[in-house]
Amino acid sequence: MSTSVTTLATEIVLPGRVEPSGLETRTRDLPAPGAGQVLLRMDATGVCFAEQQMRLGKYYNQPPFPFVPGYDVVGTVTATGPDVDAGMTGRRFAAVTKVGAWASHLLIDAADLMPVPDDDMDAATVETVVVNGITAWQMLHRTAKVRSGGTVVVLGANGGVGSILVQLARHAGITVIGTASARHHDSVRELGATPVDYRDPDMYDRIREIAPDGVDAVFDHVGGPAVAESWRLLRRGGTLVSYGTAATKNEEGSSQLPVLKLFGQLAAWNSLPNGKSAHFYNFWAGSRCRTQWQRRLTEDLTQVLRLVADGVLTPRIAAEIPLSDTASALELAESRTVLGKVVIIPDA
């Protein structure tokens, strides 16, 4: 049912290129949901790499400052607008928002919601696998299509996406070599991967020692000049899946130039007659056909949540931090010391 009552929302605003401590808090009245919309109470959101890039003005499709960040959200519908099933009220959903989720409440199109189980799985656990889980699933199963018995390299195997990717690959019968700092090697081993220190200047040689015949896929979020080393690790028929340019995050200049250079490099490699392929994974690819794209997201999130419920996949929560202390959440996520995802939860 629709309601004419306004709701007081607390939002975390990124006012410009500031340190995490420069985030601002504002409260405002949200109007009642309009046609096709719902009012969602945030149960969990989090910090993705995208927000870290946005803080520096380095995200590929950088929104203009000021804005409310927040790439994805898990929440409960508290009101529905006209043309929306009133039965959604009181049920939990997930959504990918790109911006806007660092808020106590938000208005969102009902068509963008993905149902999540209302069982024992808590909101923070679901939050860790919304963008990160869908990304890992799609890169492994829709882009690289690595078969059981294959070998892959996951750069940043301790990260939000990387730790899920390792577990999905192991579940599919794939051998995994995972890069991480030495402090995270035990955790990477627990996930089922062979760890290699990403700070080792001979890291790529170490990987070649473990997989002398090359690997079936490399998942690379780092970009920059070293992406060429990832390409060289592949055996004939192997696939490079590039999904970011973390190496250039702190460089001055255009946010789009590093990505465009990477596109050019991947295209050049794809033209070589060696049976290898290079892809840039973009979460939003195909989103112009919104209905189809959203259906695919829902399918893939459902698969991932089923594996979580079955105990196959253990999402790694680095910390749960209240919305009012989002600055600390962003700082922690940027510290490169964490295992898993930093989750933001409502204030008590």
Side-chain angles (χ1 to χ4, degrees):
M1 68 176 221
S2 84
T3 173
S4 57
V5 178
T6 60
T7 300
L8 187 65
T10 301
E11 299 176 326
I12 306 300
V13 179
L14 184 58
R17 290 183 55 171
V18 296
E19 292 301 310
S21 59
L23 290 172
E24 296 172 358
T25 303
R26 74 175 178 208
T27 55
R28 69 181 180 109
D29 282 325
L30 290 183
Q37 288 186 319
V38 303
L39 179 66
L40 196 71
R41 185 193 69 226
M42 183 272 285
D43 296 329
T45 178
V47 185
C48 295
F49 186 65
E51 288 109 4
Q52 300 172 41
Q53 290 179 303
M54 289 176 190
R55 180 180 75 76
L56 299 169
K58 296 289 290 182
Y59 187 67
Y60 183 73
N61 287 319
Q62 179 73 23
F65 296 116
F67 64 94
V68 176
Y71 211 85
D72 59 3
V73 64
V74 176
T76 302
V77 172
T78 59
T80 56
D83 311 324
V84 177
D85 175 12
M88 295 174 79
T89 306
R91 289 174 55 204
R92 179 176 281 172
F93 294 88
V96 180
T97 50
K98 194 180 279 190
V99 294
W102 288 1
S104 64
H105 298 79
L106 56 157
L107 291 170
I108 191 164
D109 287 347
D112 293 341
L113 296 178
M114 299 177 277
V116 298
D118 283 323
D119 57 15
D120 297 336
M121 206 181 295
D122 69 0
T125 298
V126 177
E127 164 59 24
T128 58
V129 296
V130 180
V131 163
N132 290 350
I134 292 171
T135 296
W137 178 274
Q138 291 188 342
M139 289 196 302
L140 184 67
H141 294 299
R142 290 188 184 271
T143 306
K145 299 176 182 164
V146 182
R147 296 204 180 107
S148 180
T151 300
V152 303
V153 173
V154 176
L155 301 188
N158 61 301
V161 173
S163 59
I164 296 172
L165 197 42
V166 171
Q167 294 176 78
L168 289 177
R170 294 298 297 128
H171 179 59
I174 296 162
T175 299
V176 183
I177 302 163
T179 73
S181 63
R183 81 175 83 188
H184 292 310
H185 282 193
D186 286 346
S187 301
V188 170
R189 277 189 201 94
E190 278 170 31
L191 294 174
T194 301
V196 176
D197 190 348
Y198 78 80
R199 289 196 173 94
D200 183 340
D202 300 319
M203 179 183 95
Y204 290 95
D205 291 334
R206 299 274 168 278
I207 294 171
R208 282 186 196 93
E209 287 167 12
I210 299 165
D213 298 328
V215 299
D216 297 284
V218 180
F219 299 93
D220 185 323
H221 68 296
V222 180
V227 74
E229 294 284 1
S230 291
W231 173 253
R232 284 195 275 272
L233 291 173
L234 297 173
R235 63 167 60 116
R236 186 175 183 85
T239 305
L240 170 65
V241 183
S242 171
Y243 66 108
T245 54
T248 61
K249 185 181 87 162
N250 295 314
E251 288 179 9
E252 289 300 318
S254 163
S255 61
Q256 302 206 344
L257 192 60
V259 182
L260 295 173
K261 278 163 76 172
L262 180 60
F263 287 168
Q265 179 67 81
L266 300 180
W269 284 332
N270 277 329
S271 68
L272 299 174
N274 57 14
K276 302 198 289 192
S277 63
H279 300 267
F280 186 82
Y281 171 82
N282 173 10
F283 189 92
W284 299 91
S287 60
R288 285 197 184 112
C289 306
R290 196 78 188 187
T291 307
Q292 216 174 341
W293 177 78
Q294 190 66 51
R295 189 183 305 127
R296 196 165 60 234
L297 290 193
T298 302
E299 276 173 21
D300 295 346
L301 179 61
T302 302
Q303 298 270 21
V304 170
L305 288 173
R306 193 170 293 139
L307 293 176
V308 175
D310 291 346
V312 169
L313 193 56
T314 305
R316 300 292 176 116
I317 299 172
E320 293 182 40
I321 295 175
L323 182 67
S324 59
D325 200 14
T326 296
S328 296
L330 183 54
E331 213 168 283
L332 181 62
E334 291 192 5
S335 69
R336 300 181 70 175
T337 61
V338 297
L339 181 72
K341 181 157 187 175
V342 177
V343 175
I344 296 165
I345 56 175
D347 284 81

